Amino acid sequence: MQPSDTVQPIVLLVDKEEPAAHLDAVAAAAAASVSAYARRTDDAAWENWVYGRFTKTVRRAGPKPFAKLAGHAPSGTVAVGRARAIAFEPVSYEEMPRKIRALQVSGTQLPDDDAVPGSPGAPVIIINADLEMSTGKAGAQAAHALLAWYLTLSEEDRDAWCEAGSRVSVRPAPGTEFAALAAAEGAGPLIVDAGMTEIAPDTATAFVAAPGA
């Protein structure tokens, strides 16, 4: 199986009565994605995927289906503000569990309410604000950026991030600021999207900022 044949499902809780803030949901999706990889018990489902394009699909679920799926998620439930996210190991679309495959992908957009403040020392994912990505799309791009950053860490630093609660925050930055921060020494790998949904091919979307940026 080639890396492009598998995809990691990420599921966001979308509660119509008490919706989470957009940026909190993006942060939760990213942290859940990487937490699932960090908590893996073997490499069988992950090895090819993580060194390929590590494709992800962000889906939404109401409170009841989310709760049913949460008990089976290797990420555990990641909470950021009111946002909740879970993530699973990579799987082909054909082998994806029906309960996950049936969840909606497109149109996941949460309100631009105030997000919770980032924790001191936690990585900050910078999102290209000029793209105006949906919550689902931004969540996938943030997850790409966080995983690319995580893979650059030593085993000691990976363990430290997990033991500190896998904390992360998300900050949008417009054009020139985004480019300047991406070029700064110590910034994580820049994610460039293939352009399959929402945005044009070869568009820079996200990265983890250099410490202190």
Side-chain angles (χ1 to χ4, degrees):
M1 181 176 290
Q2 297 300 312
S4 59
D5 291 335
T6 60
V7 59
Q8 183 192 34
I10 304 169
V11 180
L12 281 174
L13 171 63
V14 175
D15 187 337
K16 294 181 180 179
E17 298 298 322
E18 295 184 350
H22 167 74
L23 292 180
D24 288 347
V26 172
S33 171
V34 179
S35 292
Y37 175 67
R39 295 184 181 194
R40 70 196 185 283
T41 55
D42 64 69
D43 288 328
W46 298 92
E47 191 169 15
N48 286 338
W49 174 86
V50 79
Y51 293 109
R53 292 187 297 154
F54 37 85
T55 304
K56 301 172 180 66
T57 176
V58 178
R59 296 164 183 258
R60 64 181 184 271
K64 288 185 178 179
F66 184 91
K68 289 180 179 179
L69 289 168
H72 304 286
S75 66
T77 299
V78 173
V80 180
R82 291 194 300 273
R84 301 290 183 274
I86 52 179
F88 299 84
E89 66 180 24
V91 66
S92 69
Y93 280 104
E94 293 77 13
E95 295 174 339
M96 190 180 297
R98 184 178 300 177
K99 290 182 179 179
I100 298 176
R101 193 169 62 240
L103 298 174
Q104 291 293 317
V105 179
S106 62
T108 301
Q109 183 62 61
L110 292 169
D112 292 322
D113 294 340
D114 290 338
V116 297
S119 302
V124 179
I125 303 170
I126 306 297
I127 294 288
N128 188 341
D130 288 359
L131 303 179
E132 298 183 349
M133 292 180 284
S134 68
T135 303
K137 181 69 173 181
Q141 299 304 304
H144 293 336
L146 189 65
L147 179 59
W149 166 83
Y150 179 86
L151 293 173
T152 69
L153 301 180
S154 66
E155 288 295 332
E156 182 180 4
D157 287 341
R158 291 182 186 186
D159 291 343
W161 180 73
C162 293
E163 290 169 5
S166 304
R167 297 172 300 175
V168 65
S169 62
V170 175
R171 178 162 68 87
T176 54
E177 182 186 4
F178 179 88
L181 290 171
E185 183 177 356
L190 181 65
I191 301 304
V192 178
D193 192 60
M196 297 180 68
T197 61
E198 292 195 25
I199 57 179
D202 302 322
T203 301
T205 58
F207 62 92
V208 171

